[in-house]
Amino acid sequence: MKSYHTLRDIRNDLQLGNLTCQQLVKQYLRNIEDQRHLNAFIEVYEDEALARAKEIDQRLKENQAGKLAGLVFGIKDLLCLDKHQVSGGSKILKNFESQFSATAIEALLKEDAIVIGRQNCDEFGMGSSNENSAYGPVKNTADPDKVPGGSSGGSAVAVQADMCLVSLGTDTGGSVRQPAAFCGIVGLKPTYSRISRWGLLAYASSFDTIGIFSRSIEDNALVLEIMAGADGKDGTASKTPVPSYSSLSQDKETFKIAYLPEAIETDALQPEIKEALQHKLEELREAGHTVEPVSFPMLDYVLPTYYILTTAEASANLSRYDGAHFGHRSPQVSDLESLYKNSRTEGFGEEVRRRILLGTFVLSASYYDAYYTKAQKVRRLIQEETQKILSEYDFIVIPTTPTTAFKLGEHTKNPLEMYMADLFTVQASVTGLPAISLPIGKDTENMPIGIQIMTNAFDEAKLFAFSKKLINHR
Ligand code: GLN
């Protein structure tokens, strides 16, 4: 059976009678089975997905099907689905079953999308290579000796390897955009608060955003359109009206684009990525867009700010896993303190423990002002400086990642090296702005290269319209 690039193609074939949802789901299940070695899924909802496909085939026949009939998607193991396990890629939540669904997932199911399984990820979203999962690392289809990126590695590979059409990931500091770049697919982090966070296991609540992996811009836009919007269950979810993202239309033909010289001139950037980016910028210039360098001297401060604030928030959020309320409880318990200590030590992996310790330190009475308060102030400055650029330009274009996908194990011994993978993605996270990663080529080892486009808050419609132009210019 053919491999589908867009829901539109699938719908076409469904309509022509060349395809049924049941055949489609079977095909994806086969692809999952044949590529078990990539370790993209923690759990596959085989029987359920097939039963639902049958129902939707019937609904299609009766002309009663929703907008997403024919869309098969997977969910990162940080998103809750009613009566299904969710573990955050962690031992501490092994066998934990959710009693409700994330609002975003519910919205897709209501439009007749089919959920096919739960995808591997870095523990509680902390990582850039998917090597911090209690379920083992995920491998990149382009080269199984290399990482898929993280933390939503399984979700990215599932789309890359044709195991589903779309995946839902979460992006706190780049966890959708970075793996999308490493796997050669489209990855969106919408504006913070655009999609309800209800049913997303919290990592750093002022950063956490549900994001979308897809093969095409149009599917990404459609899925966002359906998931976005206010939600009584999440007070921080924005009430800003949801436009028709999927129309991909914009009045403007040409745009003003800023690129950050600091992000292009840095030694950290792999030369082939620099070349691909410069080539793209030249193409955009030739197509009539205004493309100009705008200096952003604060770039070096974004990553430290991100890691101070997110570890602080994580240390608070993860205190709920205490051996008493959820998941793992140590059998070696003599009193309350040993219950907490042993359950958490046994349940959490090394990176999560490191972040809890770091976060507890930056929030401690003696260091709170020196680290946490200072980082909050710097966050505000980064927001202001970025806003300033976006008040004059439609988009900021930077690489998604400093390098293409690296070898498994290459950075596991040195956390700082690993954190560097987020160098360019954290700006949109610290500012809450929407950003998308698009595939723009490959390096000499045939590994995908991603370009990242950032824009003003709630301007996703413009972001999609421009993305479509940018990819078409290839
Ligand atoms: N790699 C980053 C981190 O480890 C981003 C993670 C994410 O976006 N969930 O924090």
Side-chain angles (χ1 to χ4, degrees):
M1 203 169 82
K2 72 181 185 199
S3 152
Y4 288 95
H5 194 71
T6 62
L7 179 62
R8 187 156 37 103
D9 293 342
I10 291 173
R11 293 293 285 242
N12 246 343
D13 276 358
L14 285 170
Q15 207 136 40
L16 290 170
N18 297 337
L19 177 73
T20 64
C21 289
Q22 291 173 82
Q23 288 168 336
L24 186 66
V25 167
K26 277 187 193 147
Q27 174 69 26
Y28 285 132
L29 290 171
R30 215 170 300 133
N31 289 350
I32 293 173
E33 197 46 51
D34 291 348
Q35 302 175 93
R36 280 268 165 214
H37 62 285
L38 299 174
N39 203 19
F41 280 82
I42 294 175
E43 190 183 352
V44 183
Y45 310 142
E46 192 169 334
D47 295 340
E48 254 179 277
L50 281 170
R52 198 157 145 83
K54 196 170 168 193
E55 265 173 45
I56 291 164
D57 278 332
Q58 187 58 32
R59 237 171 280 165
L60 278 162
K61 240 190 236 157
E62 294 161 0
N63 261 331
Q64 303 277 328
K67 283 189 211 152
L68 298 183
L71 185 130
V72 178
F73 73 106
I75 52 174
K76 183 181 187 177
D77 188 27
L78 273 175
L79 295 167
C80 297
L81 179 62
D82 192 22
K83 301 193 184 63
H84 289 72
Q85 288 187 20
V86 59
S87 76
S90 179
K91 231 166 46 188
I92 210 156
L93 274 181
K94 208 167 185 169
N95 300 326
F96 175 78
E97 200 179 284
S98 177
Q99 287 159 44
F100 55 84
S101 290
T103 302
I105 296 178
E106 240 165 29
L108 300 189
L109 296 179
K110 219 165 123 204
E111 288 295 343
D112 287 342
I114 298 170
V115 57
I116 198 160
R118 177 161 65 102
Q119 295 157 334
N120 204 344
C121 62
D122 282 307
E123 190 175 1
F124 290 108
M126 298 177 195
S128 310
S129 65
N130 216 128
E131 291 166 295
N132 299 336
S133 164
Y135 299 88
V138 177
K139 295 168 185 174
N140 195 315
T141 328
D143 178 351
D145 290 332
K146 294 196 167 152
V147 302
S151 61
S152 319
S155 308
V157 168
V159 172
Q160 179 195 30
D162 207 18
M163 300 169 179
C164 53
L165 188 68
V166 163
S167 295
L168 296 189
T170 67
D171 190 314
T172 303
S175 281
V176 168
R177 292 161 286 151
Q178 187 252 18
F182 278 12
C183 294
I185 57 173
V186 178
L188 171 82
K189 178 193 92 74
T191 310
Y192 174 77
S193 81
R194 181 66 298 188
I195 301 174
S196 164
R197 285 184 292 119
W198 176 257
L200 190 181
L201 304 191
Y203 158 15
S205 307
S206 76
F207 295 77
D208 292 343
T209 312
I210 291 180
I212 306 160
F213 292 98
S214 65
R215 302 183 140 199
S216 67
I217 311 278
E218 60 184 79
D219 286 349
N220 213 298
L222 178 63
V223 168
L224 178 66
E225 187 174 310
I226 288 170
M227 295 195 303
D231 179 15
K233 294 179 180 134
D234 172 8
T236 64
S238 171
K239 296 190 177 68
T240 307
V242 179
S244 163
Y245 299 122
S246 57
S247 67
L248 298 182
S249 66
Q250 264 295 303
D251 302 338
K252 267 171 124 177
E253 273 300 312
T254 54
F255 296 102
K256 275 190 85 180
I257 297 151
Y259 66 91
L260 312 182
E262 289 83 357
I264 294 187
E265 298 310 331
T266 167
D267 290 342
L269 187 64
Q270 188 177 320
E272 292 143 298
I273 300 183
K274 179 173 175 174
E275 230 168 80
L277 199 91
Q278 283 173 328
H279 184 72
K280 200 76 219 173
L281 292 173
E282 202 41 53
E283 260 181 34
L284 290 170
R285 236 180 241 127
E286 280 163 19
H289 303 284
T290 305
V291 181
E292 290 171 352
V294 180
S295 180
F296 186 71
M298 295 198 75
L299 191 67
D300 281 349
Y301 298 98
V302 189
L303 199 64
T305 303
Y306 169 82
Y307 273 96
I308 290 172
L309 294 177
T310 52
T311 50
E313 292 189 27
S315 72
N317 270 328
L318 271 57
S319 64
R320 75 192 67 184
Y321 306 109
D322 56 5
H325 294 89
F326 300 96
H328 179 74
R329 176 177 303 177
S330 173
Q332 253 74 54
V333 170
S334 50
D335 54 12
L336 191 62
E337 194 173 325
S338 63
L339 167 78
Y340 292 158
K341 252 192 195 159
N342 296 347
S343 304
R344 286 165 70 81
T345 306
E346 291 162 17
F348 288 136
E350 193 188 348
E351 181 61 25
V352 172
R353 291 204 300 270
R354 174 166 27 245
R355 302 228 189 162
I356 292 173
L357 290 173
L358 271 171
T360 308
F361 174 76
V362 303
L363 288 176
S364 61
S366 338
Y367 293 98
Y368 190 93
D369 280 342
Y371 291 101
Y372 186 73
T373 310
K374 182 96 155 256
Q376 288 287 30
K377 289 182 182 162
V378 179
R379 182 179 200 180
R380 173 55 67 90
L381 290 176
I382 295 167
Q383 279 167 337
E384 285 171 0
E385 286 302 306
T386 308
Q387 290 296 355
K388 217 189 270 170
I389 302 176
L390 286 170
S391 64
E392 282 180 48
Y393 293 85
D394 294 296
F395 303 108
I396 296 174
V397 173
I398 50 172
T400 310
T401 55
T403 69
T404 55
F406 42 86
K407 282 222 150 55
L408 284 151
E410 197 175 324
H411 297 312
T412 39
K413 301 234 156 46
N414 185 338
L416 284 179
E417 261 175 45
M418 190 66 91
Y419 298 168
M420 281 297 283
D422 310 322
L423 185 61
F424 300 131
T425 47
V426 284
Q427 188 180 358
S429 307
V430 166
T431 55
L433 296 173
I436 196 165
S437 178
L438 305 170
I440 54 158
K442 306 236 168 100
D443 71 4
T444 42
E445 289 182 21
N446 220 22
M447 297 312 288
I449 293 175
I451 195 171
Q452 187 183 197
I453 311 164
M454 230 183 295
T455 193
N456 275 304
F458 302 105
D459 246 348
E460 282 87 353
K462 195 163 88 175
L463 189 62
F464 285 128
F466 178 63
S467 299
K468 184 92 187 168
K469 280 182 199 284
L470 194 140
I471 281 204
N472 285 344
H473 282 149
R474 245 199 285 179

